[in-house]
Amino acid sequence: MTRLSLFSEPFAPTGNMAGEGFRRLLGRPALGLLQTVLRESLQNVVDAAITDEGPKVLVRVRTLTADARRALRGAVFAERPAAECSARDLHGSLDAEVRVLEIADFRTIGLSGPTRADLVQDGGEPPNFVNFFRNVGAGRDSHQGGGTYGYGKSAFYAVSQCATILADSLTRHDGKETRRFLGCHLGAAFDVALNGARKRYTGRHWWGVSDATDGVDPLGGDAAAELSRALGLPIRGPGDTGTTIVVRDPELPGVLLPARWAGHEARRLWRELYGFLLPSS
């Protein structure tokens, strides 16, 4: 199994947004954090739908198995940030119980386009990847798409108790299906001693494949599919384009429905927590 490399973003000479500033983009939403994440996710799914039959969405909360936890610890987060607070947050429950919130969509575009923010895509592919993972505040240009990616994606980090997410996406790039797997953590700005000086970092960290220059690209191909399977993420066969967002250690409401609950009582409680997702009748 491929082990991901860590890239911690340094401040550019002209400045950057620090990780804590990015997290504050969410502000104080009127809805709860989980409701905000679901609302923003569904808006993104609607914008990215590619078929007349509509997209398919899977939302679930689960505890990782021992095998999945080993894959998370040994392949995804094998390298930890130099910032002590981020390293501590990420280490967290890796040796014990790990809960995740997964939001997966199918029959959508996926995280398409170039993987670097400084490249221009001439093929007409929406720059979903860089707008979700790299840029801050990029406006949506899809038909009937509203808002900006800065607000929406910040909700995923806000609902994570360690401000960490993973993305597993199957999309099309240059006419071919492409698998992309990347992790990201938002921490506080920090500095590290380097060659007799101290270098400043924004607190934004990515886990992927080193591009041998100044960052990481997403893990791709069979290696990405293997890592996705090892973590127990929803299976994607050929043509199952879309994205699974994994929120590590989610902050969930105090009342969650046991799986055995069903019928009228379950529906009533679901309406109280997530009423905007249910029809009025």
Side-chain angles (χ1 to χ4, degrees):
M1 189 181 306
T2 302
R3 176 174 146 170
L4 301 186
S5 298
L6 167 66
F7 172 73
S8 299
E9 180 186 56
F11 274 100
T14 53
N16 292 83
M17 177 176 284
E20 55 264 49
F22 184 97
R23 293 170 66 174
R24 283 197 294 266
L25 281 175
L26 183 61
R28 293 183 175 273
L31 296 172
L33 279 178
L34 182 58
Q35 289 181 319
T36 300
V37 165
L38 293 175
R39 183 193 65 185
E40 294 294 329
S41 298
L42 293 178
Q43 178 65 62
N44 290 340
V45 170
V46 170
D47 290 347
I50 59 176
T51 65
D52 292 338
E53 59 185 309
K56 174 185 174 183
V57 181
L58 169 67
V59 179
R60 67 181 182 182
V61 176
R62 66 187 177 98
T63 299
L64 296 188
T65 65
D67 288 342
R69 194 167 63 248
R70 278 192 290 271
L72 190 69
R73 181 175 60 245
V76 180
F77 298 121
E79 296 184 36
R80 309 288 169 80
E84 182 178 345
C85 58
S86 289
R88 182 178 60 250
D89 288 346
L90 285 167
H91 180 73
S93 58
L94 283 179
D95 292 322
E97 186 176 89
V98 179
R99 298 185 76 191
V100 294
L101 165 66
E102 296 171 344
I103 303 175
D105 58 70
F106 301 83
R107 300 194 292 264
T108 61
I109 298 171
L111 296 180
S112 57
T115 59
R116 292 179 57 112
D118 58 345
L119 296 180
V120 176
Q121 174 63 37
D122 296 327
E125 299 170 353
N128 291 342
F129 184 91
V130 295
N131 283 344
F132 185 80
F133 266 120
R134 311 290 199 194
N135 294 330
V136 178
R140 294 190 183 112
D141 58 4
S142 60
H143 176 59
Q144 293 183 337
T148 65
Y149 279 95
Y151 178 91
K153 65 185 177 184
S154 66
F156 290 102
Y157 299 97
V159 82
S160 168
Q161 297 182 73
C162 58
T164 304
I165 68 171
L166 307 173
D168 171 35
S169 188
L170 180 63
T171 186
R172 297 190 66 83
H173 183 58
D174 291 337
K176 300 178 181 179
E177 281 194 350
T178 301
R179 194 72 174 254
R180 294 172 168 177
F181 188 104
L182 193 72
C184 189
H185 164 70
L186 294 182
F190 65 102
D191 56 87
V192 173
L194 184 66
N195 298 326
R198 299 198 70 83
K199 187 171 183 178
R200 291 285 291 163
Y201 292 83
T202 67
R204 298 173 74 191
H205 308 269
W206 288 274
W207 285 263
V209 178
S210 176
D211 62 9
T213 55
D214 53 1
V216 292
D217 286 325
L219 180 67
D222 292 339
E226 179 187 18
L227 181 53
S228 176
R229 287 193 298 270
L231 294 173
L233 305 187
I235 296 173
R236 292 185 184 274
D240 286 337
T241 56
T243 302
T244 301
I245 302 296
V246 182
V247 178
R248 188 182 143 186
D249 299 329
E251 183 178 346
L252 300 172
V255 179
L256 288 177
L257 297 180
R260 65 180 182 275
W261 287 18
H264 175 75
E265 183 64 13
R267 185 175 180 81
R268 181 185 65 79
L269 290 176
W270 269 106
R271 189 179 299 284
E272 289 178 3
L273 288 173
Y274 318 114
F276 62 97
L277 291 177
L278 298 172
S280 58
S281 61

